[in-house]
Amino acid sequence: MNMIIRYKNNVKTTCTIVLLGWLFLLFISLQVHARYNNLHRKSHIHCTSTGKKLSLYHTHASKWLLDTLIKQRKDTSSLNDSSIKRSTIDTLKISKDSLDAPVSYQAADSGVLNIPQREFILYGKSKLQYTDLNLDAATIKYNQQTQMLHAFGGTDTGNNVLNKPQLVQGEMKSISDTIDVNLKNMHARTKNTFYNEGELYVNAQVLKKVSATEYYGLKGRFTTCNLDNPHFAIRTRKLKMISNKLAVSGPAAPEFEGVPLPIGIPFGIFPLARGRHSGLMAPQFTSSEDFGLGLEGLGYYKVINDYWDVITRANIYSYGGWSLNVSPKYQRRYRYQGGFNITFQSFKSLNRGSTSKSEYNTGKTYSISWNHSQDNRARPGTNFGANVNFASTRYNSQILNNPFVNFQNQLSSSINYSKSFNGKANININANHNQNNNTRLVNLNLPTIGANVVTFYPFQKTEKIGSDKWYEKIGIGYSGNFSNQASFYDTAFNFKRFLDTIQWGATHSIPISLSLPSLGAVTIAPSVSYEEKWYGQKIIRSWNKTNEKVDTAVSKGLYTARQMSFGISANTRIFGTYLFKRKSGIQAIRHEVRPSFSLNYKPDLAGNTYYTTQIDTSGRTMRFSQFDGVLPGTYSEGKFGGFSFGIDNLLEMKVKSKTDTSENGIKKIKLIDGFGFTSSYNLMADSFALSPFNFYARSTLFGKVNITAGFVLDPYDVDSAGFRKKTLLWNALRFKPGRITSGNIAISTSFASKAKDGKEKKDKSLPYDPYMTTEEQQRQLQYARSSPAEFTDFDIPWSANLSYSLNFTNQLGSDYKYKITTFSSLNFNGDFSISPKWKIGSSGFMDFSSGKIQQISMYLTREMHCWQMAINVSPVGLYRSFNITINPKSGILRDLRINRSRTFSNY
């Protein structure tokens, strides 16, 4: 008897039909059971229905029941009926061919349960789930005897392929023409399969899964292009893949646009491992006019443990130069992270323009950096951090193709430790370093210890009753600083001279404040401060008549100086608004004025440390302090009894929004973020009573142009040598308030066209990291040049960035004459899309002080979907260079590139 049950789109109806069928079988079985008068047994048939889920256990229940009855008949045929002791046994037995988990399914058309053949078939957009296996296909067949799943797609009326089988298990995804899966051992065989593993896309005519992680393929194709017809691929006959580890192929050959190339490789290894894993790092070929042919970036990455790893890289050049870089890094989540970067360089370059007779310039340089940061949650109240960047002064100039480092003449480092004591006091210990690569002077400041006591109120009662008395608001604090400094020239280091340059100093400050209630809109704040400085040496300058120069004598010892000040300050805010007509686009202009005024008195406690010395043959004299140029700095001379004053301004405008016509559609625009001045007047001075005026202004025009400016205005005249005279320059008729002694202005702006799709785009610029080492900066710059698609937005037709800065100051030189020094520079960068896939850009730096363009670089990029091309040219700079790179975007094939690079020196 053949029995086929078909159902459509109604799970409840399906379960009812299945149950009626099983009840019918149960009735027949019970009749057979009564006829043979055997042991009485109960059978349970399991059918579950939840949503569109149906257990497949019931497909073998009738077989189990009939086999049991026949077996019982044979075992009892030789026994007398009277000798049988009848008993009732409640049993549930699962056959060996049953599944160990329920199967959930659904189908858009229908499902067929063929009981005699033990088959279960789903038609029309079928979906099946078993443990972690998910299968989608047009048709799915399940055979209970073999426990095999067979899935295949379908076609529409136009003979177009529909619902190709898709298999998802864990992180493995595949699309095939047909899929066969053994649910017992989870082995599978597929045909014409498209398989994705991370960034790798594989197409195999036959693919076999032999374990949870291993696959074998026949006539396969590797690619990182996600198109159905990829732009490029690597063809091979045999391949093997291990999930999350690697893929191995036999002899393989590349093809582009389906056209094979007449080149091949004996085998291929494609890493698929995710996360950290040790391995070799491929080098890059380069050519330099000064260093010769070379291999750069040859290295090895080693994972030491869960917290440490290290990268070792080497550069080798044909003229004999080399460099070795070791970069260990460490990280413990929620505790700390950091890394070291140690580089040794032995350079050998062609001698160009040097007075040396040798054909090559040789030397050895080094660079040591260390950065460390601690998570605030690791030890609340305690923090340790480091940012060390120490190098020989010639190191930066010997790095190829890195203008950011080539023109970096200042290096600095800091190591700090801080601890807070329940918010009442804190201590800071620092070690600092700075060096100038032009003068080759290195300054070390270690250690610098700072201690602070948070303001406390000694007269405040523990238990408050009523309002505080005025004296209960008196607060006292403390801050102290102890510092050491030593200096040396790295080209002429001498330990004895190094010890002679060591100096130390300390500063102690005790501020006393009183908080008073506001007098309406005016805030009053009196203050008293006492400060004392300790010195480890003093300097005496004297005129040498014989040599006609100023001699300097240093005396070691313990010296002190102190200062005390008293003051009271008043601050307020004044607002003014000018309203326009309601129909006007400008609704109002708001002006905020913040004046400040303070009375101060400072006795002349440091006057005994000042003296007068002749400085030139004309008999000109100058006042010096014994502690000029000595840590921790000197106090000013003379009494001060006068007042300080200043005005700050803020200007805003309210305008109607062009897009929002409601009452709330009003935008606030800042016209000037702040502008004003500060100065003081000493009523007790017999000359130069009026201090210089400090003017400043800052604004963001139209939300695009950032402007910051400031200058110092001295109201007194100077002589021919630049020294101040007691003559005021104020002239109301000519509007000459004084002379400008120093000033600065910085302007920066950026413009970009709207994106083609009108959506806001993510920033694709290079990430800024102040702790990045020079080697890391170089690798980041090279990566950006060779991978323009990751940093260039082709959806924005054009962009431009400009920044200009100007600084000038009147400084006293070593010859005791004033000179004006000026520095002015312009930085620019921008790009322009020639077509939707082509973009050209440029960046540069111009120094107006020298009147030269210091650096210009240009690039041309081509977006090629899964590949990218970049052409970089630097015609101006310390090193001139040319580079062209074509490579895949994928990380696993990034070293499969065509690269041509040449570097020339401008020495």
Side-chain angles (χ1 to χ4, degrees), residues 247-310:
V248 181
S249 73
E255 66 176 21
F256 286 87
E257 299 290 353
V259 179
L261 298 182
I263 57 176
I265 55 177
F267 63 90
I269 299 177
F270 306 87
L272 301 177
R274 301 176 185 178
R276 303 188 311 160
H277 55 281
S278 302
L280 291 171
M281 306 180 72
Q284 177 178 331
F285 176 78
T286 187
S287 174
S288 171
E289 190 178 31
D290 294 272
F291 295 89
L293 303 178
L295 290 176
E296 295 182 340
L298 175 64
Y300 187 81
Y301 174 72
K302 174 64 178 176
V303 177
I304 300 176
N305 53 36
D306 291 340
Y307 310 111
W308 281 83
D309 59 25
V310 60

Side-chain angles (χ1 to χ4, degrees), residues 27-83:
F27 174 76
I28 296 175
S29 301
L30 291 176
Q31 294 297 321
V32 175
H33 176 82
R35 179 179 177 184
Y36 288 101
N37 196 22
N38 246 336
L39 292 174
H40 192 69
R41 296 178 180 269
K42 293 183 179 179
S43 4
H44 292 270
I45 301 172
H46 183 57
C47 178
T48 61
S49 176
T50 303
K52 291 188 177 181
K53 297 182 179 179
L54 181 63
S55 172
L56 296 183
Y57 290 140
H58 62 277
T59 58
H60 56 79
S62 61
K63 179 182 181 298
W64 169 81
L65 184 59
L66 292 174
D67 291 346
T68 300
L69 296 176
I70 295 171
K71 184 177 184 297
Q72 291 172 353
R73 173 63 181 168
K74 290 180 180 180
D75 293 341
T76 59
S77 61
S78 61
L79 297 177
N80 193 349
D81 291 344
S82 61
S83 64

Side-chain angles (χ1 to χ4, degrees), residues 192-195 200-205 217-225 227-239 241 253 255 258 270:
N192 192 23
T193 301
F194 292 87
Y195 171 79
L200 196 64
Y201 296 88
V202 180
N203 174 231
Q205 294 301 312
L218 179 66
K219 295 182 180 180
R221 179 180 68 187
F222 288 97
T223 184
T224 57
C225 182
L227 299 179
D228 292 338
N229 296 313
H231 292 108
F232 79 101
I234 299 176
R235 289 279 186 179
T236 183
R237 179 173 176 77
K238 297 180 180 180
L239 59 94
M241 290 177 293
E255 66 176 21
F270 306 87

